[in-house]
Amino acid sequence: MPVSAGYKEFLEDLLVAFGPVSIRNMFRGAGVYAEGVMFAILVNDALYLKTDKASAREFAAEGKAPFTSRRKGRAPIAMSYWGGA
């Protein structure tokens, strides 16, 4: 399911305090960019933030999970984007 226009608008409003943010469609989701750097992805109206090892542990401690890419006929691949809410 693609990311809804309403959810994109909500996130742009929410993130305005951080400076200019753009959201670009990609595959079945969207990338969230600031100053040309993608720091989050949107999938099925859920936000996943880019993590490092330390922040991934913090997300896990809060019960969040990494975004998992699932391609037909292949094993799922967990990515370094965590969240889902």
Side-chain angles (χ1 to χ4, degrees):
M1 172 170 143
V3 180
S4 70
Y7 190 67
K8 288 179 191 177
E9 185 177 316
F10 165 75
L11 285 174
E12 287 172 338
D13 289 344
L14 181 69
L15 300 172
V16 72
F18 297 103
V21 172
S22 63
I23 299 175
R24 298 183 215 154
N25 292 334
M26 53 182 241
F27 308 107
R28 290 183 289 168
V32 185
Y33 296 81
E35 298 182 11
V37 176
M38 188 167 75
F39 68 92
I41 59 174
L42 306 176
V43 180
N44 296 329
D45 285 353
L47 176 67
Y48 294 85
L49 297 170
K50 179 77 172 162
T51 63
D52 58 14
K53 288 181 183 181
S55 58
R57 285 191 298 271
E58 292 179 26
F59 274 90
E62 293 293 325
K64 299 298 182 184
F67 173 72
T68 304
S69 175
R70 299 167 199 257
R71 295 179 71 187
K72 194 173 187 176
R74 295 190 180 179
I77 299 171
M79 299 179 72
S80 61
Y81 292 89
W82 282 66

